Amino acid sequence: MMFCMQSCELFQFRAFPSVTVQPLPFGLERERHIDMLFRAFHRQIRPATDSQILTAELGSTDRRGEDEGAGGKETGGKLSVLRTVTRLHINARPELQGPQCVARRTYSISTETSDQLFVAVEESSCVCMQCCGPARSCSLQGFDKNADCVFLFERPLRAEMCWLGCCLMEIRAYTPEREFIGTVHQRWSMFTPYFEVCDSEGISAVRIQGSCCNTRCLSEQELQVVSTIGESVGRIWKRWPGYNEECNMDHEYFGLDVPQGMNLNTKVLLLAATFLLNHMFFEMS
């Protein structure tokens, strides 16, 4: 009996250190380590093995994730001028006047100080313009001062009056290389306009809410941009700029107010939402 007890104690003493040196279970740190190796493989960089270098790499990855925010990987490129912009003014060119059918529409996008950033060209068809009106399908291409394409918005054909969430409006945003940025979806609501801005993975970034009396006859309108927790972070508006003898198009002057630190992809999606809301609630031509 004494021999068995001594054997058990010796076995426990020798087994204890062998258990402590086993690898850690698959937890958060191990998954982050695998994710870092995966990123390094795609960058064609040999992953580091030193623990300090791995920690620095993971830290930089976390900082990039915080900067990217809910919009995922930021678009960047020529759209980076939107990072410091807090207000965008959009107004249509005078070629929209008259009873004739104009399948192409041109919009000027400028800052609060009247510095023109982009020119957006809407492409549709005369049949769709006349028969479908605000519910028309169209594509919008944005160009900078060098005539380079900087964004692409596509709006599919939808019904203007919908019941129980069928055929609701939406608009999709792409880069010039056809990389998907995200979508603005109209959600069913009983009395007030309600839209959801989602990134390329379908994750909601912000929401757009309006009042129950959004009619085209009003010269001034405003819809609020709210975060996922209900905090107001911006607005999409329509204003009357004053009478102009050459072209009195009060319904073709609208814009967007956003905070400066907002994610770049979210700003681009809100710009797409501004054009969608213009078609649905603002324009009267």
Side-chain angles (χ1 to χ4, degrees), residues 206-254:
V206 292
R207 300 191 300 266
I208 303 172
Q209 300 174 349
S211 62
C212 60
C213 54
N214 284 294
T215 61
R216 301 179 187 277
C217 299
L218 297 177
S219 60
E220 295 190 1
Q221 295 189 51
E222 188 173 290
L223 290 93
Q224 295 294 324
V225 179
V226 298
S227 65
T228 54
I229 61 175
E231 180 184 3
S232 179
V233 295
R235 58 181 179 174
I236 297 174
W237 47 266
K238 163 192 172 182
R239 296 285 185 270
W240 183 58
Y243 182 76
N244 189 336
E245 293 183 356
E246 296 180 358
C247 51
N248 186 30
M249 297 182 298
D250 61 305
H251 54 280
E252 300 295 351
Y253 183 78
F254 53 100

Side-chain angles (χ1 to χ4, degrees), residues 113-221:
T113 57
S114 300
D115 295 330
Q116 184 169 337
L117 297 178
F118 310 117
V119 172
V121 179
E122 177 188 341
E123 295 283 353
S124 186
S125 65
C126 286
V127 174
C128 195
M129 189 80 70
Q130 297 298 324
C131 297
C132 302
R136 64 185 179 273
S137 63
C138 63
S139 64
L140 280 149
Q141 281 187 292
F143 300 91
D144 60 7
K145 296 180 180 179
N146 299 322
D148 296 329
C149 182
V150 293
F151 62 77
L152 173 63
F153 301 151
E154 290 186 351
R155 183 191 178 195
L157 181 64
R158 292 290 186 268
E160 187 175 9
M161 296 298 293
C162 302
W163 297 96
L164 301 178
C166 299
C167 301
L168 296 180
M169 303 288 183
E170 70 175 45
I171 189 168
R172 308 183 188 108
Y174 300 88
T175 65
E177 295 79 19
R178 296 290 301 183
E179 294 181 4
F180 185 53
I181 299 177
T183 310
V184 180
H185 299 279
Q186 182 187 16
R187 300 305 186 191
W188 187 83
S189 178
M190 183 70 72
F191 300 110
T192 60
Y194 179 68
F195 298 83
E196 193 172 19
V197 179
C198 302
D199 62 11
S200 57
E201 298 179 355
I203 301 175
S204 177
V206 292
R207 300 191 300 266
I208 303 172
Q209 300 174 349
S211 62
C212 60
C213 54
N214 284 294
T215 61
R216 301 179 187 277
C217 299
L218 297 177
S219 60
E220 295 190 1
Q221 295 189 51

